[in-house]
Amino acid sequence: MDSPLLTQHAEKMALVERAAGRPVDTFVPSPRGLGYRARIDLSVGPTGRLGYNRPRSHDHNAIDACAIARPEVNEALARLNVAIPDARGLDRLELRSNGVDVVLHARLADRGVRPDAARALLQAAPMPVALNGKNLKGDAKLRLTVAGVEHQLSPETFYQVNLEVNEALVDALRALILPLKPAGVLDLYGGAGNLSMPIAAAGVPVTLIEREGAAIRDAQATVKRLGLPLKAVSGDAGRFKAGDQFFEVAVIDPPRAGAPGLMDQLIVTRPKAIAVVSCNPSALGRDVGPALKAGYVVDRLIAFD
Protein backbone atom coordinates (compact mmCIF):
# COMPACT_ATOMS: atom_id res chain seq x y z
CA MET A 1 0.00 0.00 0.00
CA ASP A 2 1.29 3.48 -0.87
CA SER A 3 2.00 5.79 2.04
CA PRO A 4 -0.09 9.00 2.24
CA LEU A 5 3.06 10.97 1.39
CA LEU A 6 3.76 8.94 -1.77
CA THR A 7 0.12 9.22 -2.81
CA GLN A 8 0.26 12.99 -2.34
CA HIS A 9 3.44 13.17 -4.46
CA ALA A 10 1.80 11.15 -7.24
CA GLU A 11 -1.27 13.37 -7.24
CA LYS A 12 0.82 16.53 -7.42
CA MET A 13 3.02 15.09 -10.19
CA ALA A 14 -0.13 14.30 -12.19
CA LEU A 15 -1.30 17.91 -11.79
CA VAL A 16 2.07 19.23 -13.01
CA GLU A 17 2.09 16.89 -16.00
CA ARG A 18 -1.45 17.87 -16.97
CA ALA A 19 -0.54 21.55 -16.73
CA ALA A 20 2.57 21.16 -18.94
CA GLY A 21 1.03 18.65 -21.31
CA ARG A 22 3.89 16.16 -20.97
CA PRO A 23 5.52 13.78 -18.46
CA VAL A 24 7.91 15.04 -15.79
CA ASP A 25 11.53 14.37 -16.81
CA THR A 26 13.02 14.41 -13.32
CA PHE A 27 11.66 14.37 -9.79
CA VAL A 28 14.01 15.91 -7.20
CA PRO A 29 13.11 14.65 -3.71
CA SER A 30 13.76 16.54 -0.52
CA PRO A 31 16.76 15.12 1.38
CA ARG A 32 14.72 15.70 4.54
CA GLY A 33 11.21 14.30 4.94
CA LEU A 34 10.94 16.02 8.30
CA GLY A 35 13.10 18.73 9.85
CA TYR A 36 13.38 20.67 6.58
CA ARG A 37 11.80 24.07 7.24
CA ALA A 38 14.32 26.90 7.66
CA ARG A 39 11.59 29.37 8.65
CA ILE A 40 8.69 29.01 11.06
CA ASP A 41 6.10 31.71 11.75
CA LEU A 42 4.77 31.53 15.31
CA SER A 43 1.75 33.22 16.84
CA VAL A 44 1.34 34.23 20.48
CA GLY A 45 -1.38 32.44 22.44
CA PRO A 46 -3.65 33.82 25.18
CA THR A 47 -1.19 32.74 27.88
CA GLY A 48 1.79 34.22 26.05
CA ARG A 49 3.14 30.88 24.78
CA LEU A 50 4.40 30.55 21.22
CA GLY A 51 2.77 28.16 18.78
CA TYR A 52 0.47 27.75 15.82
CA ASN A 53 -3.19 28.41 15.22
CA ARG A 54 -5.26 25.47 14.02
CA PRO A 55 -6.14 25.68 10.29
CA ARG A 56 -8.96 28.14 9.61
CA SER A 57 -9.29 28.79 13.33
CA HIS A 58 -8.19 31.10 16.11
CA ASP A 59 -7.61 28.09 18.40
CA HIS A 60 -3.99 28.20 19.52
CA ASN A 61 -1.62 25.30 20.14
CA ALA A 62 1.48 26.14 22.16
CA ILE A 63 4.51 24.14 21.01
CA ASP A 64 7.93 23.21 22.35
CA ALA A 65 9.14 21.88 18.98
CA CYS A 66 7.94 21.55 15.38
CA ALA A 67 8.40 18.26 13.51
CA ILE A 68 8.99 19.91 10.14
CA ALA A 69 11.37 22.61 11.42
CA ARG A 70 15.15 22.19 11.04
CA PRO A 71 17.02 21.06 14.18
CA GLU A 72 18.71 24.44 14.72
CA VAL A 73 15.30 26.14 14.49
CA ASN A 74 13.86 23.86 17.17
CA GLU A 75 16.91 24.46 19.36
CA ALA A 76 16.38 28.22 18.98
CA LEU A 77 12.68 27.82 19.77
CA ALA A 78 13.50 25.92 22.98
CA ARG A 79 15.90 28.66 24.09
CA LEU A 80 13.37 31.36 23.16
CA ASN A 81 10.59 29.69 25.18
CA VAL A 82 12.84 29.73 28.24
CA ALA A 83 14.03 33.30 27.74
CA ILE A 84 10.57 34.72 26.94
CA PRO A 85 7.94 32.47 28.56
CA ASP A 86 5.25 35.15 28.11
CA ALA A 87 5.32 36.93 24.74
CA ARG A 88 2.01 38.78 25.11
CA GLY A 89 2.24 42.17 23.44
CA LEU A 90 3.90 40.64 20.41
CA ASP A 91 1.86 39.41 17.47
CA ARG A 92 4.00 37.04 15.42
CA LEU A 93 7.57 35.79 15.70
CA GLU A 94 9.46 34.25 12.80
CA LEU A 95 12.57 32.17 13.38
CA ARG A 96 14.82 32.30 10.28
CA SER A 97 17.74 29.94 9.69
CA ASN A 98 20.49 29.67 7.08
CA GLY A 99 21.15 26.07 8.10
CA VAL A 100 23.42 27.06 10.99
CA ASP A 101 22.54 30.45 12.46
CA VAL A 102 19.06 31.55 13.53
CA VAL A 103 17.67 35.08 13.78
CA LEU A 104 14.32 36.29 15.07
CA HIS A 105 11.90 38.69 13.40
CA ALA A 106 9.11 39.84 15.70
CA ARG A 107 6.02 41.91 15.00
CA LEU A 108 4.31 44.14 17.52
CA ALA A 109 0.68 43.34 18.32
CA ASP A 110 -1.91 46.06 17.82
CA ARG A 111 -3.20 45.82 21.37
CA GLY A 112 -2.04 49.05 22.92
CA VAL A 113 1.34 47.65 23.94
CA ARG A 114 4.03 50.31 23.94
CA PRO A 115 6.90 49.70 21.52
CA ASP A 116 9.42 50.32 24.30
CA ALA A 117 7.87 47.48 26.34
CA ALA A 118 8.11 45.13 23.35
CA ARG A 119 11.72 46.14 22.75
CA ALA A 120 12.57 45.48 26.41
CA LEU A 121 10.89 42.07 26.22
CA LEU A 122 12.83 41.07 23.10
CA GLN A 123 16.18 41.98 24.62
CA ALA A 124 15.95 38.65 26.47
CA ALA A 125 15.87 36.67 23.21
CA PRO A 126 19.01 34.49 22.84
CA MET A 127 19.63 35.41 19.19
CA PRO A 128 19.79 38.51 16.95
CA VAL A 129 16.38 40.23 16.80
CA ALA A 130 14.50 42.53 14.44
CA LEU A 131 11.21 44.22 15.38
CA ASN A 132 8.77 45.18 12.61
CA GLY A 133 11.50 44.82 10.00
CA LYS A 134 14.10 46.93 11.81
CA ASN A 135 17.21 45.68 13.57
CA LEU A 136 16.83 45.66 17.35
CA LYS A 137 19.51 43.44 18.87
CA GLY A 138 22.67 42.16 17.17
CA ASP A 139 22.69 41.77 13.41
CA ALA A 140 19.35 40.30 12.35
CA LYS A 141 20.26 40.04 8.66
CA LEU A 142 20.48 36.42 7.57
CA ARG A 143 23.62 35.46 5.66
CA LEU A 144 22.52 32.76 3.26
CA THR A 145 24.84 31.30 0.62
CA VAL A 146 23.19 29.76 -2.45
CA ALA A 147 25.27 28.31 -5.32
CA GLY A 148 28.32 30.23 -4.13
CA VAL A 149 26.57 33.60 -3.79
CA GLU A 150 26.24 35.05 -0.29
CA HIS A 151 22.99 36.92 0.27
CA GLN A 152 22.48 39.18 3.26
CA LEU A 153 18.71 39.02 3.72
CA SER A 154 16.72 41.63 5.61
CA PRO A 155 14.16 40.41 8.18
CA GLU A 156 11.23 40.92 5.76
CA THR A 157 12.87 39.33 2.69
CA PHE A 158 11.36 36.06 1.52
CA TYR A 159 13.51 32.99 0.94
CA GLN A 160 12.65 29.35 0.29
CA VAL A 161 12.00 27.22 3.38
CA ASN A 162 13.77 24.07 2.13
CA LEU A 163 17.41 25.08 1.78
CA GLU A 164 18.63 21.86 0.13
CA VAL A 165 15.84 21.74 -2.44
CA ASN A 166 16.33 25.43 -3.21
CA GLU A 167 20.02 24.76 -3.87
CA ALA A 168 19.01 21.94 -6.25
CA LEU A 169 16.54 24.24 -8.02
CA VAL A 170 19.12 27.00 -8.50
CA ASP A 171 21.74 24.52 -9.73
CA ALA A 172 19.29 22.98 -12.22
CA LEU A 173 18.24 26.36 -13.58
CA ARG A 174 21.85 27.48 -14.00
CA ALA A 175 22.70 24.20 -15.79
CA LEU A 176 19.82 24.73 -18.24
CA ILE A 177 20.53 28.40 -19.00
CA LEU A 178 24.33 28.71 -19.20
CA PRO A 179 24.75 26.34 -22.20
CA LEU A 180 22.41 28.63 -24.17
CA LYS A 181 25.07 31.36 -23.91
CA PRO A 182 22.49 34.17 -23.66
CA ALA A 183 23.64 37.74 -24.20
CA GLY A 184 21.16 38.80 -21.52
CA VAL A 185 18.84 37.17 -18.98
CA LEU A 186 15.64 38.73 -17.63
CA ASP A 187 14.61 37.66 -14.11
CA LEU A 188 11.00 38.64 -13.36
CA TYR A 189 9.65 38.42 -9.79
CA GLY A 190 13.35 38.07 -8.98
CA GLY A 191 13.18 38.75 -5.23
CA ALA A 192 16.64 39.13 -3.72
CA GLY A 193 18.24 37.33 -6.68
CA ASN A 194 18.05 33.72 -5.49
CA LEU A 195 17.64 32.31 -9.02
CA SER A 196 19.64 34.72 -11.15
CA MET A 197 22.59 35.85 -9.01
CA PRO A 198 24.51 32.59 -9.70
CA ILE A 199 23.88 33.09 -13.44
CA ALA A 200 25.28 36.63 -13.19
CA ALA A 201 28.22 35.27 -11.17
CA ALA A 202 29.05 33.15 -14.23
CA GLY A 203 29.44 36.36 -16.25
CA VAL A 204 26.01 36.56 -17.91
CA PRO A 205 24.37 40.03 -17.81
CA VAL A 206 21.08 39.89 -15.91
CA THR A 207 18.21 42.34 -15.42
CA LEU A 208 16.20 41.55 -12.29
CA ILE A 209 12.79 43.14 -11.66
CA GLU A 210 11.07 43.01 -8.27
CA ARG A 211 8.58 45.32 -6.60
CA GLU A 212 9.77 47.95 -4.13
CA GLY A 213 10.62 46.50 -0.74
CA ALA A 214 13.27 44.74 1.29
CA ALA A 215 14.04 42.08 -1.34
CA ILE A 216 14.98 44.46 -4.17
CA ARG A 217 17.06 46.55 -1.77
CA ASP A 218 18.88 43.39 -0.67
CA ALA A 219 19.48 42.46 -4.32
CA GLN A 220 20.93 45.88 -5.08
CA ALA A 221 23.20 45.64 -2.04
CA THR A 222 24.45 42.20 -3.11
CA VAL A 223 25.23 43.45 -6.63
CA LYS A 224 27.20 46.35 -5.20
CA ARG A 225 29.04 44.18 -2.67
CA LEU A 226 29.98 41.43 -5.15
CA GLY A 227 30.30 43.48 -8.33
CA LEU A 228 27.98 41.24 -10.34
CA PRO A 229 26.82 42.09 -13.90
CA LEU A 230 23.23 42.38 -12.71
CA LYS A 231 20.88 45.36 -12.84
CA ALA A 232 18.23 45.19 -10.08
CA VAL A 233 15.19 47.26 -11.02
CA SER A 234 12.29 48.15 -8.74
CA GLY A 235 9.01 47.64 -10.58
CA ASP A 236 5.93 45.49 -11.14
CA ALA A 237 7.12 42.38 -12.98
CA GLY A 238 3.54 41.53 -13.92
CA ARG A 239 3.33 44.72 -15.98
CA PHE A 240 6.43 43.99 -18.06
CA LYS A 241 5.97 44.95 -21.71
CA ALA A 242 7.85 43.70 -24.74
CA GLY A 243 10.76 46.05 -25.39
CA ASP A 244 11.12 47.22 -21.79
CA GLN A 245 14.40 45.32 -21.38
CA PHE A 246 16.73 43.38 -23.69
CA PHE A 247 16.97 39.65 -23.02
CA GLU A 248 17.54 36.35 -24.80
CA VAL A 249 16.39 34.12 -21.93
CA ALA A 250 13.70 34.92 -19.36
CA VAL A 251 13.19 33.47 -15.90
CA ILE A 252 9.85 34.00 -14.20
CA ASP A 253 9.03 32.96 -10.62
CA PRO A 254 5.59 34.48 -9.97
CA PRO A 255 3.54 34.20 -6.77
CA ARG A 256 0.98 31.43 -6.37
CA ALA A 257 -1.58 33.30 -8.48
CA GLY A 258 0.81 33.15 -11.43
CA ALA A 259 1.40 35.83 -14.05
CA PRO A 260 -1.63 36.16 -16.32
CA GLY A 261 -0.83 37.95 -19.59
CA LEU A 262 2.92 38.08 -19.00
CA MET A 263 3.84 35.28 -21.42
CA ASP A 264 2.22 37.17 -24.30
CA GLN A 265 4.72 39.99 -23.76
CA LEU A 266 7.74 37.71 -23.30
CA ILE A 267 7.30 35.83 -26.57
CA VAL A 268 7.01 38.94 -28.75
CA THR A 269 10.78 39.13 -29.19
CA ARG A 270 11.13 35.32 -29.58
CA PRO A 271 13.64 34.64 -26.78
CA LYS A 272 15.78 31.50 -26.92
CA ALA A 273 14.09 30.07 -23.83
CA ILE A 274 11.77 30.93 -20.96
CA ALA A 275 12.20 29.20 -17.60
CA VAL A 276 9.07 29.12 -15.45
CA VAL A 277 9.26 28.35 -11.73
CA SER A 278 5.82 27.66 -10.31
CA CYS A 279 4.27 26.37 -7.09
CA ASN A 280 0.75 26.18 -8.58
CA PRO A 281 0.06 23.70 -11.42
CA SER A 282 -3.17 25.44 -12.43
CA ALA A 283 -1.43 28.80 -12.82
CA LEU A 284 1.50 27.08 -14.57
CA GLY A 285 -0.77 25.64 -17.26
CA ARG A 286 -2.40 29.00 -17.89
CA ASP A 287 0.88 30.92 -17.89
CA VAL A 288 2.72 28.69 -20.39
CA GLY A 289 -0.29 28.34 -22.71
CA PRO A 290 0.46 31.35 -24.95
CA ALA A 291 4.05 30.17 -25.50
CA LEU A 292 2.88 26.70 -26.54
CA LYS A 293 0.40 28.22 -28.99
CA ALA A 294 3.22 30.37 -30.42
CA GLY A 295 5.33 27.30 -31.22
CA TYR A 296 7.43 26.89 -28.09
CA VAL A 297 7.65 23.45 -26.48
CA VAL A 298 8.25 22.32 -22.91
CA ASP A 299 11.81 21.08 -23.36
CA ARG A 300 12.44 20.10 -19.74
CA LEU A 301 10.02 19.54 -16.88
CA ILE A 302 11.52 19.10 -13.41
CA ALA A 303 9.46 18.64 -10.24
CA PHE A 304 11.01 19.60 -6.90
CA ASP A 305 9.63 18.30 -3.60
Side-chain angles (χ1 to χ4, degrees):
M1 177 181 287
D2 286 343
S3 72
L5 185 60
L6 291 175
T7 301
Q8 186 182 62
H9 279 162
E11 291 172 351
K12 290 181 177 179
M13 291 271 279
L15 288 173
V16 171
E17 292 179 338
R18 264 201 308 274
R22 72 189 294 286
V24 166
D25 295 298
T26 307
F27 172 70
V28 180
S30 172
R32 299 165 180 256
L34 294 173
Y36 64 87
R37 281 195 69 99
R39 294 186 286 111
I40 59 171
D41 188 18
L42 302 161
S43 58
V44 180
T47 64
R49 292 283 310 281
L50 302 177
Y52 297 129
N53 288 344
R54 292 179 181 273
R56 297 176 294 280
S57 168
H58 292 295
D59 294 340
H60 187 268
N61 279 353
I63 64 169
D64 295 311
C66 173
I68 61 173
R70 293 180 63 94
E72 71 275 6
V73 173
N74 276 323
E75 291 168 9
L77 173 61
R79 297 197 308 272
L80 186 62
N81 277 333
V82 171
I84 307 179
D86 186 346
R88 278 176 288 188
L90 299 171
D91 182 22
R92 306 196 71 83
L93 295 93
E94 183 185 46
L95 289 168
R96 298 161 59 88
S97 167
N98 60 9
V100 179
D101 305 309
V102 180
V103 299
L104 174 66
H105 181 209
R107 292 195 173 277
L108 186 63
D110 185 19
R111 300 172 189 160
V113 175
R114 299 192 317 274
D116 56 342
R119 286 193 288 268
L121 181 67
L122 289 167
Q123 289 296 331
M127 69 274 296
V129 181
L131 177 61
N132 291 348
K134 297 182 178 180
N135 211 67
L136 175 66
K137 174 188 173 186
D139 184 358
K141 279 198 170 187
L142 192 71
R143 283 156 175 79
L144 178 65
T145 299
V146 180
V149 175
E150 186 195 70
H151 301 268
Q152 297 183 6
L153 302 179
S154 300
E156 294 181 311
T157 295
F158 170 87
Y159 68 100
Q160 296 290 347
V161 298
N162 192 319
L163 302 181
E164 290 85 1
V165 172
N166 180 63
E167 186 85 21
L169 168 63
V170 173
D171 285 345
L173 190 69
R174 183 173 53 176
L176 289 169
I177 290 176
L178 291 182
L180 299 174
K181 300 187 185 305
V185 169
L186 176 67
D187 182 10
L188 296 176
Y189 305 98
N194 175 59
L195 297 177
S196 61
M197 292 274 182
I199 295 170
V204 178
V206 173
T207 300
L208 179 154
I209 299 179
E210 175 60 52
R211 62 184 174 84
E212 175 57 36
I216 189 66
R217 293 192 294 271
D218 287 346
Q220 291 164 343
T222 300
V223 168
K224 184 176 181 180
R225 177 168 47 84
L226 300 181
L228 299 175
L230 186 149
K231 177 173 65 173
V233 179
S234 176
D236 185 347
R239 295 181 179 273
F240 178 84
K241 300 297 181 187
D244 283 354
Q245 301 286 345
F246 167 78
F247 66 98
E248 288 189 329
V249 171
V251 178
I252 68 170
D253 182 12
R256 187 168 183 79
L262 179 59
M263 192 65 69
D264 293 297
Q265 297 299 317
L266 294 177
I267 61 178
V268 167
T269 55
R270 302 300 293 183
K272 290 181 177 182
I274 301 166
V276 183
V277 179
S278 174
C279 62
N280 182 345
S282 298
L284 171 66
R286 181 202 63 211
D287 290 348
V288 303
L292 300 180
K293 290 178 182 176
Y296 284 85
V297 296
V298 180
D299 180 68
R300 202 73 54 85
L301 185 62
I302 307 174
F304 296 86
D305 180 12

